[in-house]
Amino acid sequence: MEGKEILNKKNSLVNKHLCNFIESKFLREYHDQNGKIISQNEYAKLCGITSSTISKIKLPEGYNIPLSTIYNILRHERYSLEKFFKEFEDEKGINIPD
């Protein structure tokens, strides 16, 4: 069981860093696809997620973010998964420290 607890902690840390990365990249100011500044609620609708999901992503500790939520944000931002995860890896490395 101790191994599972360690993995859960590591997974939580990855989720935290993913959420923080998404927040810093896309969720400081909300834009529609034409670059117009919009509200968090409008942005959430355009992404196909809820405003409360955005609020969870913006928490300092992050949350257990599903890949589908990441994809919905990236689709709206016209950003590929490959580019996103490459930038994430470049910033955080391949082994996120404990």
Side-chain angles (χ1 to χ4, degrees):
M1 275 300 173
E2 187 172 290
K4 187 175 182 179
E5 285 181 27
I6 291 170
L7 285 176
N8 286 340
K9 283 184 178 184
K10 288 184 180 198
N11 289 342
S12 293
L13 189 58
V14 169
N15 279 312
K16 172 186 173 178
H17 285 298
L18 267 173
C19 288
N20 294 163
F21 185 70
I22 291 167
E23 189 270 334
S24 69
K25 193 154 195 64
F26 304 118
L27 305 179
R28 297 254 166 103
E29 193 172 70
Y30 307 100
H31 296 92
D32 65 15
Q33 290 187 330
N34 297 317
K36 180 183 169 206
I37 296 175
I38 57 175
S39 71
Q40 178 174 309
N41 287 339
E42 291 172 304
Y43 185 85
K45 283 181 188 176
L46 290 173
C47 291
I49 60 178
T50 64
S51 185
S52 64
T53 296
I54 291 175
S55 295
K56 287 184 217 174
I57 293 169
K58 292 175 78 171
L59 292 171
E61 66 274 10
Y63 92 112
N64 190 8
I65 186 168
L67 184 58
S68 59
T69 299
I70 295 170
Y71 179 72
N72 284 344
I73 293 169
L74 297 179
R75 180 189 40 77
H76 170 73
E77 295 289 343
R78 298 179 177 149
Y79 225 82
S80 74
L81 284 167
E82 179 182 18
K83 182 178 179 183
F84 173 79
F85 282 109
K86 173 77 172 104
E87 289 177 4
F88 178 72
E89 187 177 280
D90 288 347
E91 185 173 308
K92 298 297 180 183
I94 56 172
N95 291 313
I96 294 176
D98 297 316

PDB file of all heavy atoms in Angstrom, residues 4 13 20 22 26 28-29 31 34 36 42 45-47 57-58 63 67 69 76-78 81 86 89-90 93:
ATOM      1  N   LYS A   4       1.419   2.627  -3.416  1.00  0.00           N
ATOM      2  CA  LYS A   4       0.258   3.304  -3.986  1.00  0.00           C
ATOM      3  C   LYS A   4       0.151   4.730  -3.458  1.00  0.00           C
ATOM      4  O   LYS A   4      -0.162   5.650  -4.211  1.00  0.00           O
ATOM      5  CB  LYS A   4      -1.011   2.519  -3.698  1.00  0.00           C
ATOM      6  CG  LYS A   4      -2.225   3.068  -4.387  1.00  0.00           C
ATOM      7  CD  LYS A   4      -3.430   2.195  -4.178  1.00  0.00           C
ATOM      8  CE  LYS A   4      -4.608   2.785  -4.931  1.00  0.00           C
ATOM      9  NZ  LYS A   4      -5.808   1.973  -4.783  1.00  0.00           N
ATOM     10  N   LEU A  13       0.994  15.782  -7.615  1.00  0.00           N
ATOM     11  CA  LEU A  13       1.977  16.809  -7.946  1.00  0.00           C
ATOM     12  C   LEU A  13       1.967  17.114  -9.445  1.00  0.00           C
ATOM     13  O   LEU A  13       2.005  18.277  -9.849  1.00  0.00           O
ATOM     14  CB  LEU A  13       3.369  16.374  -7.495  1.00  0.00           C
ATOM     15  CG  LEU A  13       4.473  17.418  -7.583  1.00  0.00           C
ATOM     16  CD1 LEU A  13       4.122  18.657  -6.768  1.00  0.00           C
ATOM     17  CD2 LEU A  13       5.789  16.831  -7.108  1.00  0.00           C
ATOM     18  N   ASN A  20      -1.414  24.460 -12.874  1.00  0.00           N
ATOM     19  CA  ASN A  20      -0.702  25.744 -12.765  1.00  0.00           C
ATOM     20  C   ASN A  20      -0.189  26.205 -14.123  1.00  0.00           C
ATOM     21  O   ASN A  20      -0.234  27.399 -14.448  1.00  0.00           O
ATOM     22  CB  ASN A  20       0.449  25.649 -11.769  1.00  0.00           C
ATOM     23  CG  ASN A  20       0.006  25.421 -10.333  1.00  0.00           C
ATOM     24  OD1 ASN A  20       0.792  25.023  -9.497  1.00  0.00           O
ATOM     25  ND2 ASN A  20      -1.262  25.650 -10.018  1.00  0.00           N
ATOM     26  N   ILE A  22      -1.494  25.398 -17.127  1.00  0.00           N
ATOM     27  CA  ILE A  22      -2.668  25.809 -17.912  1.00  0.00           C
ATOM     28  C   ILE A  22      -3.137  27.188 -17.459  1.00  0.00           C
ATOM     29  O   ILE A  22      -3.432  28.058 -18.285  1.00  0.00           O
ATOM     30  CB  ILE A  22      -3.804  24.772 -17.784  1.00  0.00           C
ATOM     31  CG1 ILE A  22      -3.408  23.480 -18.497  1.00  0.00           C
ATOM     32  CG2 ILE A  22      -5.118  25.318 -18.340  1.00  0.00           C
ATOM     33  CD1 ILE A  22      -4.301  22.302 -18.185  1.00  0.00           C
ATOM     34  N   PHE A  26      -3.188  30.100 -20.194  1.00  0.00           N
ATOM     35  CA  PHE A  26      -4.470  30.399 -20.826  1.00  0.00           C
ATOM     36  C   PHE A  26      -5.515  31.086 -19.936  1.00  0.00           C
ATOM     37  O   PHE A  26      -6.483  31.628 -20.468  1.00  0.00           O
ATOM     38  CB  PHE A  26      -5.110  29.102 -21.362  1.00  0.00           C
ATOM     39  CG  PHE A  26      -4.243  28.335 -22.306  1.00  0.00           C
ATOM     40  CD1 PHE A  26      -3.825  27.052 -22.004  1.00  0.00           C
ATOM     41  CD2 PHE A  26      -3.847  28.884 -23.516  1.00  0.00           C
ATOM     42  CE1 PHE A  26      -3.038  26.323 -22.881  1.00  0.00           C
ATOM     43  CE2 PHE A  26      -3.048  28.167 -24.407  1.00  0.00           C
ATOM     44  CZ  PHE A  26      -2.641  26.883 -24.084  1.00  0.00           C
ATOM     45  N   ARG A  28      -5.272  33.500 -17.327  1.00  0.00           N
ATOM     46  CA  ARG A  28      -5.045  34.763 -16.620  1.00  0.00           C
ATOM     47  C   ARG A  28      -6.006  35.835 -17.136  1.00  0.00           C
ATOM     48  O   ARG A  28      -6.455  36.696 -16.404  1.00  0.00           O
ATOM     49  CB  ARG A  28      -3.599  35.222 -16.794  1.00  0.00           C
ATOM     50  CG  ARG A  28      -2.589  34.259 -16.198  1.00  0.00           C
ATOM     51  CD  ARG A  28      -2.009  34.800 -14.913  1.00  0.00           C
ATOM     52  NE  ARG A  28      -1.311  33.792 -14.174  1.00  0.00           N
ATOM     53  CZ  ARG A  28       0.005  33.676 -14.132  1.00  0.00           C
ATOM     54  NH1 ARG A  28       0.764  34.505 -14.804  1.00  0.00           N
ATOM     55  NH2 ARG A  28       0.559  32.728 -13.402  1.00  0.00           N
ATOM     56  N   GLU A  29      -6.247  35.765 -18.435  1.00  0.00           N
ATOM     57  CA  GLU A  29      -7.194  36.645 -19.108  1.00  0.00           C
ATOM     58  C   GLU A  29      -7.878  35.777 -20.153  1.00  0.00           C
ATOM     59  O   GLU A  29      -7.221  34.987 -20.823  1.00  0.00           O
ATOM     60  CB  GLU A  29      -6.437  37.801 -19.770  1.00  0.00           C
ATOM     61  CG  GLU A  29      -7.299  38.928 -20.229  1.00  0.00           C
ATOM     62  CD  GLU A  29      -6.457  40.109 -20.695  1.00  0.00           C
ATOM     63  OE1 GLU A  29      -5.802  39.980 -21.759  1.00  0.00           O
ATOM     64  OE2 GLU A  29      -6.463  41.144 -20.007  1.00  0.00           O
ATOM     65  N   HIS A  31     -10.006  34.964 -23.583  1.00  0.00           N
ATOM     66  CA  HIS A  31     -10.229  35.506 -24.923  1.00  0.00           C
ATOM     67  C   HIS A  31     -11.079  34.541 -25.747  1.00  0.00           C
ATOM     68  O   HIS A  31     -10.963  33.326 -25.585  1.00  0.00           O
ATOM     69  CB  HIS A  31      -8.899  35.704 -25.663  1.00  0.00           C
ATOM     70  CG  HIS A  31      -8.011  36.715 -25.018  1.00  0.00           C
ATOM     71  ND1 HIS A  31      -7.067  36.380 -24.087  1.00  0.00           N
ATOM     72  CD2 HIS A  31      -7.946  38.063 -25.165  1.00  0.00           C
ATOM     73  CE1 HIS A  31      -6.437  37.478 -23.680  1.00  0.00           C
ATOM     74  NE2 HIS A  31      -6.958  38.510 -24.326  1.00  0.00           N
ATOM     75  N   ASN A  34     -11.340  35.240 -31.536  1.00  0.00           N
ATOM     76  CA  ASN A  34     -10.984  36.448 -32.279  1.00  0.00           C
ATOM     77  C   ASN A  34     -10.081  37.372 -31.463  1.00  0.00           C
ATOM     78  O   ASN A  34      -9.749  38.458 -31.905  1.00  0.00           O
ATOM     79  CB  ASN A  34     -12.245  37.206 -32.711  1.00  0.00           C
ATOM     80  CG  ASN A  34     -13.091  36.396 -33.666  1.00  0.00           C
ATOM     81  OD1 ASN A  34     -12.576  35.760 -34.573  1.00  0.00           O
ATOM     82  ND2 ASN A  34     -14.392  36.405 -33.455  1.00  0.00           N
ATOM     83  N   LYS A  36     -10.885  38.764 -28.549  1.00  0.00           N
ATOM     84  CA  LYS A  36     -11.668  39.673 -27.706  1.00  0.00           C
ATOM     85  C   LYS A  36     -11.677  39.153 -26.264  1.00  0.00           C
ATOM     86  O   LYS A  36     -11.858  37.964 -26.024  1.00  0.00           O
ATOM     87  CB  LYS A  36     -13.098  39.777 -28.233  1.00  0.00           C
ATOM     88  CG  LYS A  36     -13.985  40.681 -27.426  1.00  0.00           C
ATOM     89  CD  LYS A  36     -15.406  40.673 -27.954  1.00  0.00           C
ATOM     90  CE  LYS A  36     -16.303  41.376 -26.962  1.00  0.00           C
ATOM     91  NZ  LYS A  36     -17.685  40.926 -27.040  1.00  0.00           N
ATOM     92  N   GLU A  42     -18.101  32.982 -20.147  1.00  0.00           N
ATOM     93  CA  GLU A  42     -18.139  32.887 -21.604  1.00  0.00           C
ATOM     94  C   GLU A  42     -17.034  31.956 -22.112  1.00  0.00           C
ATOM     95  O   GLU A  42     -17.262  31.142 -23.002  1.00  0.00           O
ATOM     96  CB  GLU A  42     -17.978  34.273 -22.233  1.00  0.00           C
ATOM     97  CG  GLU A  42     -19.175  35.186 -22.015  1.00  0.00           C
ATOM     98  CD  GLU A  42     -18.897  36.606 -22.485  1.00  0.00           C
ATOM     99  OE1 GLU A  42     -17.902  37.204 -22.016  1.00  0.00           O
ATOM    100  OE2 GLU A  42     -19.680  37.111 -23.311  1.00  0.00           O
ATOM    101  N   LYS A  45     -17.941  28.320 -21.552  1.00  0.00           N
ATOM    102  CA  LYS A  45     -18.911  27.836 -22.546  1.00  0.00           C
ATOM    103  C   LYS A  45     -18.231  27.548 -23.876  1.00  0.00           C
ATOM    104  O   LYS A  45     -18.511  26.538 -24.522  1.00  0.00           O
ATOM    105  CB  LYS A  45     -20.025  28.871 -22.744  1.00  0.00           C
ATOM    106  CG  LYS A  45     -21.040  28.886 -21.646  1.00  0.00           C
ATOM    107  CD  LYS A  45     -22.121  29.914 -21.928  1.00  0.00           C
ATOM    108  CE  LYS A  45     -23.027  30.064 -20.734  1.00  0.00           C
ATOM    109  NZ  LYS A  45     -24.032  31.122 -20.933  1.00  0.00           N
ATOM    110  N   LEU A  46     -17.342  28.433 -24.301  1.00  0.00           N
ATOM    111  CA  LEU A  46     -16.640  28.230 -25.566  1.00  0.00           C
ATOM    112  C   LEU A  46     -15.765  26.973 -25.539  1.00  0.00           C
ATOM    113  O   LEU A  46     -15.579  26.313 -26.551  1.00  0.00           O
ATOM    114  CB  LEU A  46     -15.782  29.450 -25.916  1.00  0.00           C
ATOM    115  CG  LEU A  46     -16.552  30.706 -26.313  1.00  0.00           C
ATOM    116  CD1 LEU A  46     -15.597  31.887 -26.462  1.00  0.00           C
ATOM    117  CD2 LEU A  46     -17.342  30.488 -27.599  1.00  0.00           C
ATOM    118  N   CYS A  47     -15.234  26.656 -24.350  1.00  0.00           N
ATOM    119  CA  CYS A  47     -14.389  25.467 -24.205  1.00  0.00           C
ATOM    120  C   CYS A  47     -15.200  24.201 -23.996  1.00  0.00           C
ATOM    121  O   CYS A  47     -14.667  23.093 -24.120  1.00  0.00           O
ATOM    122  CB  CYS A  47     -13.429  25.639 -23.020  1.00  0.00           C
ATOM    123  SG  CYS A  47     -12.157  26.871 -23.292  1.00  0.00           S
ATOM    124  N   ILE A  57      -9.093  24.575 -11.663  1.00  0.00           N
ATOM    125  CA  ILE A  57      -7.781  24.598 -12.314  1.00  0.00           C
ATOM    126  C   ILE A  57      -6.927  25.710 -11.725  1.00  0.00           C
ATOM    127  O   ILE A  57      -5.720  25.555 -11.549  1.00  0.00           O
ATOM    128  CB  ILE A  57      -7.922  24.782 -13.847  1.00  0.00           C
ATOM    129  CG1 ILE A  57      -8.590  23.557 -14.470  1.00  0.00           C
ATOM    130  CG2 ILE A  57      -6.562  25.045 -14.491  1.00  0.00           C
ATOM    131  CD1 ILE A  57      -9.017  23.753 -15.922  1.00  0.00           C
ATOM    132  N   LYS A  58      -7.560  26.826 -11.391  1.00  0.00           N
ATOM    133  CA  LYS A  58      -6.832  27.997 -10.914  1.00  0.00           C
ATOM    134  C   LYS A  58      -6.427  27.907  -9.442  1.00  0.00           C
ATOM    135  O   LYS A  58      -5.671  28.743  -8.961  1.00  0.00           O
ATOM    136  CB  LYS A  58      -7.664  29.252 -11.158  1.00  0.00           C
ATOM    137  CG  LYS A  58      -7.807  29.552 -12.649  1.00  0.00           C
ATOM    138  CD  LYS A  58      -8.726  30.708 -12.911  1.00  0.00           C
ATOM    139  CE  LYS A  58      -7.998  31.988 -12.630  1.00  0.00           C
ATOM    140  NZ  LYS A  58      -8.762  33.172 -13.067  1.00  0.00           N
ATOM    141  N   TYR A  63      -6.137  20.382  -9.344  1.00  0.00           N
ATOM    142  CA  TYR A  63      -7.065  19.277  -9.086  1.00  0.00           C
ATOM    143  C   TYR A  63      -6.798  18.165 -10.079  1.00  0.00           C
ATOM    144  O   TYR A  63      -5.978  18.323 -10.986  1.00  0.00           O
ATOM    145  CB  TYR A  63      -8.518  19.781  -9.096  1.00  0.00           C
ATOM    146  CG  TYR A  63      -9.243  19.716 -10.418  1.00  0.00           C
ATOM    147  CD1 TYR A  63     -10.302  18.836 -10.602  1.00  0.00           C
ATOM    148  CD2 TYR A  63      -8.885  20.533 -11.489  1.00  0.00           C
ATOM    149  CE1 TYR A  63     -10.982  18.775 -11.809  1.00  0.00           C
ATOM    150  CE2 TYR A  63      -9.561  20.471 -12.700  1.00  0.00           C
ATOM    151  CZ  TYR A  63     -10.612  19.593 -12.852  1.00  0.00           C
ATOM    152  OH  TYR A  63     -11.281  19.529 -14.046  1.00  0.00           O
ATOM    153  N   LEU A  67      -7.952  14.519 -19.000  1.00  0.00           N
ATOM    154  CA  LEU A  67      -7.369  14.860 -20.289  1.00  0.00           C
ATOM    155  C   LEU A  67      -8.405  15.538 -21.188  1.00  0.00           C
ATOM    156  O   LEU A  67      -8.072  16.444 -21.956  1.00  0.00           O
ATOM    157  CB  LEU A  67      -6.798  13.611 -20.972  1.00  0.00           C
ATOM    158  CG  LEU A  67      -6.085  13.856 -22.294  1.00  0.00           C
ATOM    159  CD1 LEU A  67      -4.924  14.836 -22.131  1.00  0.00           C
ATOM    160  CD2 LEU A  67      -5.583  12.552 -22.860  1.00  0.00           C
ATOM    161  N   THR A  69     -10.646  17.649 -20.362  1.00  0.00           N
ATOM    162  CA  THR A  69     -10.709  19.073 -20.014  1.00  0.00           C
ATOM    163  C   THR A  69      -9.524  19.810 -20.625  1.00  0.00           C
ATOM    164  O   THR A  69      -9.681  20.902 -21.190  1.00  0.00           O
ATOM    165  CB  THR A  69     -10.734  19.253 -18.481  1.00  0.00           C
ATOM    166  OG1 THR A  69     -11.906  18.602 -17.964  1.00  0.00           O
ATOM    167  CG2 THR A  69     -10.747  20.719 -18.089  1.00  0.00           C
ATOM    168  N   HIS A  76     -10.097  25.007 -28.010  1.00  0.00           N
ATOM    169  CA  HIS A  76     -10.527  26.404 -28.091  1.00  0.00           C
ATOM    170  C   HIS A  76      -9.347  27.322 -28.410  1.00  0.00           C
ATOM    171  O   HIS A  76      -9.471  28.257 -29.201  1.00  0.00           O
ATOM    172  CB  HIS A  76     -11.199  26.860 -26.787  1.00  0.00           C
ATOM    173  CG  HIS A  76     -11.424  28.324 -26.744  1.00  0.00           C
ATOM    174  ND1 HIS A  76     -12.395  28.944 -27.494  1.00  0.00           N
ATOM    175  CD2 HIS A  76     -10.776  29.310 -26.076  1.00  0.00           C
ATOM    176  CE1 HIS A  76     -12.334  30.256 -27.288  1.00  0.00           C
ATOM    177  NE2 HIS A  76     -11.368  30.497 -26.424  1.00  0.00           N
ATOM    178  N   GLU A  77      -8.216  27.053 -27.805  1.00  0.00           N
ATOM    179  CA  GLU A  77      -7.029  27.895 -27.997  1.00  0.00           C
ATOM    180  C   GLU A  77      -6.302  27.601 -29.310  1.00  0.00           C
ATOM    181  O   GLU A  77      -5.307  28.246 -29.621  1.00  0.00           O
ATOM    182  CB  GLU A  77      -6.058  27.702 -26.820  1.00  0.00           C
ATOM    183  CG  GLU A  77      -6.598  28.180 -25.486  1.00  0.00           C
ATOM    184  CD  GLU A  77      -6.696  29.695 -25.388  1.00  0.00           C
ATOM    185  OE1 GLU A  77      -6.061  30.418 -26.203  1.00  0.00           O
ATOM    186  OE2 GLU A  77      -7.412  30.169 -24.485  1.00  0.00           O
ATOM    187  N   ARG A  78      -6.802  26.572 -30.040  1.00  0.00           N
ATOM    188  CA  ARG A  78      -6.166  26.148 -31.290  1.00  0.00           C
ATOM    189  C   ARG A  78      -4.698  25.773 -31.049  1.00  0.00           C
ATOM    190  O   ARG A  78      -3.783  26.235 -31.713  1.00  0.00           O
ATOM    191  CB  ARG A  78      -6.294  27.226 -32.362  1.00  0.00           C
ATOM    192  CG  ARG A  78      -7.724  27.522 -32.723  1.00  0.00           C
ATOM    193  CD  ARG A  78      -7.836  28.604 -33.755  1.00  0.00           C
ATOM    194  NE  ARG A  78      -9.239  28.802 -34.108  1.00  0.00           N
ATOM    195  CZ  ARG A  78      -9.724  29.959 -34.482  1.00  0.00           C
ATOM    196  NH1 ARG A  78      -8.970  31.025 -34.567  1.00  0.00           N
ATOM    197  NH2 ARG A  78     -11.001  30.068 -34.790  1.00  0.00           N
ATOM    198  N   LEU A  81      -2.103  19.154 -28.694  1.00  0.00           N
ATOM    199  CA  LEU A  81      -1.672  18.424 -27.495  1.00  0.00           C
ATOM    200  C   LEU A  81      -0.161  18.275 -27.495  1.00  0.00           C
ATOM    201  O   LEU A  81       0.488  18.435 -26.464  1.00  0.00           O
ATOM    202  CB  LEU A  81      -2.329  17.043 -27.445  1.00  0.00           C
ATOM    203  CG  LEU A  81      -3.793  16.989 -27.044  1.00  0.00           C
ATOM    204  CD1 LEU A  81      -4.376  15.618 -27.351  1.00  0.00           C
ATOM    205  CD2 LEU A  81      -3.956  17.324 -25.574  1.00  0.00           C
ATOM    206  N   LYS A  86       4.831  19.320 -24.941  1.00  0.00           N
ATOM    207  CA  LYS A  86       6.244  19.613 -25.172  1.00  0.00           C
ATOM    208  C   LYS A  86       6.659  20.837 -24.349  1.00  0.00           C
ATOM    209  O   LYS A  86       7.697  20.823 -23.682  1.00  0.00           O
ATOM    210  CB  LYS A  86       6.496  19.852 -26.666  1.00  0.00           C
ATOM    211  CG  LYS A  86       7.894  20.321 -27.008  1.00  0.00           C
ATOM    212  CD  LYS A  86       8.892  19.175 -26.962  1.00  0.00           C
ATOM    213  CE  LYS A  86      10.241  19.592 -27.493  1.00  0.00           C
ATOM    214  NZ  LYS A  86      11.247  19.816 -26.475  1.00  0.00           N
ATOM    215  N   GLU A  89       6.713  19.871 -20.697  1.00  0.00           N
ATOM    216  CA  GLU A  89       7.914  19.079 -20.409  1.00  0.00           C
ATOM    217  C   GLU A  89       9.162  19.966 -20.396  1.00  0.00           C
ATOM    218  O   GLU A  89      10.033  19.805 -19.545  1.00  0.00           O
ATOM    219  CB  GLU A  89       8.065  17.974 -21.445  1.00  0.00           C
ATOM    220  CG  GLU A  89       9.168  16.998 -21.147  1.00  0.00           C
ATOM    221  CD  GLU A  89       9.229  15.879 -22.161  1.00  0.00           C
ATOM    222  OE1 GLU A  89       8.434  14.937 -22.043  1.00  0.00           O
ATOM    223  OE2 GLU A  89      10.064  15.973 -23.081  1.00  0.00           O
ATOM    224  N   ASP A  90       9.256  20.899 -21.332  1.00  0.00           N
ATOM    225  CA  ASP A  90      10.396  21.817 -21.377  1.00  0.00           C
ATOM    226  C   ASP A  90      10.480  22.656 -20.110  1.00  0.00           C
ATOM    227  O   ASP A  90      11.564  22.922 -19.598  1.00  0.00           O
ATOM    228  CB  ASP A  90      10.330  22.735 -22.595  1.00  0.00           C
ATOM    229  CG  ASP A  90      10.618  22.018 -23.906  1.00  0.00           C
ATOM    230  OD1 ASP A  90      11.116  20.867 -23.865  1.00  0.00           O
ATOM    231  OD2 ASP A  90      10.332  22.613 -24.963  1.00  0.00           O
ATOM    232  N   GLY A  93      10.345  19.611 -16.951  1.00  0.00           N
ATOM    233  CA  GLY A  93      11.187  18.423 -17.036  1.00  0.00           C
ATOM    234  C   GLY A  93      10.360  17.171 -17.187  1.00  0.00           C
ATOM    235  O   GLY A  93       9.136  17.219 -17.141  1.00  0.00           O
TER     236      GLY A  93
END
